[in-house]
Amino acid sequence: MFLVIELFAVGEVGGKRSNVGLINREVVMVLGQIRRNVLQGLLIACAGVCGLAASTPEVFAAPSVKLRLASSLPADPNSAHFVWYERFRDNLKASVNDAVEVSFFPNAILGKEADLAQQVKLGAVNMMVSGTSIWLTLVPEVGLFDLGYLFENNDHAGRALDGKAGEIIAGILLKKANIIPLGFGFSFGARNVYSKKPIQQPADLQGVKVRVLPAPNFIATLKAMGAAAVPMPGGEVYSALQMGVIEGVEHDAPSVLASKFYEVAKHCVLTQHIFNPIVVAMNNNKFEKLPAEYKTAILNAAAEATRFERKTAAEAEAKAFDELKKRGVTVTPTDRAYFSKAVRPVWDDFVRQYPAVKPVLDAVESTRH
């Protein structure tokens, strides 16, 4: 701008040099001085900011590692996925401050769970938290955790998952899906049958159309228990109950409460047939590229988050049952031993199909009280 001013200000008027040029040259000199003063001020200010950043890196430093954790469930305290994430995030911050940043992507924002499993395997998504059943297409052996009456309760599941059974499955997941499980958590309670009509004894379940998770061992288990198993996406269940397409649904209490299935299915029979775990899976390539101190921080943060989430699961189930009863749901115990015996042929079929799970099954049995 200063150059343009000078070019247009210097000239001749009536054959004589105009003093306008002299005046404007003085203006240019003044403006030039102002410019130098401003630049010096900016340099001083920049130096001050840079010095401050150097002395307090925790304020201005960007995260060294950014991770994305995907989930199909909402960012809600009633979600097992979100409870795990929040604790994990807080643990990491306490350990490495803001050096590792984990962002949560709920409600299947990054894609359907089945597709996400493939994306985590390939590394397009860093991490995901889901039920173990989601990994069946890549690692069919994890279908073992969908077998009916495999676990007596969550405590039994925890002992098995923290021991040899969890170790073997983790190795299979790494080999076949290129993932490392950061933790095996609990679903928020056992899966029970909720129906439109009361089920007082095992024979009452015979032929009842019950929605099940679209997973092979879920379907086989409910059939073995006597129900007419109907695989169906979760989003269709409520309307299917209303229209009579199905007569019941098997699910955990918090999910029944959140999805309002209790408005149509007012009767719960405590079959407690499946305690299938959740798993937090991380792409192995991404994990191996991390600095050693971050690997340690992530593993420690995940282990504590898993312990915390498991404790929260029991509390969430109890609260959900209290609320369901207040809303008119009847809760009836049943002969679990009868159903447990009925589903054993499903176990045998699965082991014949996937012999690699036999040591896992043996390990689970060894932790049974």
Side-chain angles (χ1 to χ4, degrees), residues 13 34 39 60 88 98 103 118 185 187 192 212 227-228 235 249 288 316 334:
V13 179
I34 292 173
L39 288 174
F60 295 96
F88 177 65
D98 295 320
S103 299
Q118 183 68 31
S187 295
N192 299 292
V212 299
V249 58
E288 289 300 331
T334 191

Side-chain angles (χ1 to χ4, degrees), residues 131-136 140-151 191 213-222 273-277 346-347 350:
T132 51
S133 305
I134 300 306
W135 291 94
L136 287 176
E141 289 85 353
V142 299
L144 175 82
F145 294 142
D146 297 339
L147 291 173
Y149 298 95
L150 177 69
F151 299 122
R191 299 182 82 95
L213 193 71
N217 281 341
F218 271 82
I219 299 169
T221 292
L222 266 293
H273 50 280
I274 292 177
F275 289 83
N276 63 319
V346 179
W347 292 25
F350 190 71

Side-chain angles (χ1 to χ4, degrees), residues 201-272:
Q201 54 190 355
D204 294 338
L205 186 61
Q206 194 69 35
V208 177
K209 293 179 290 185
V210 178
R211 180 267 176 178
V212 299
L213 193 71
N217 281 341
F218 271 82
I219 299 169
T221 292
L222 266 293
K223 284 183 176 179
M225 291 170 65
V230 182
M232 180 184 295
E236 300 176 12
V237 174
Y238 191 95
S239 59
L241 281 169
Q242 282 183 314
M243 294 185 292
V245 175
I246 55 175
E247 301 165 283
V249 58
E250 56 86 40
H251 225 310
D252 60 84
S255 294
V256 170
L257 181 62
S259 301
K260 298 185 177 182
F261 297 151
Y262 63 87
E263 293 180 347
V264 189
K266 288 287 188 181
H267 304 279
C268 170
V269 56
L270 292 174
T271 51
Q272 297 177 310

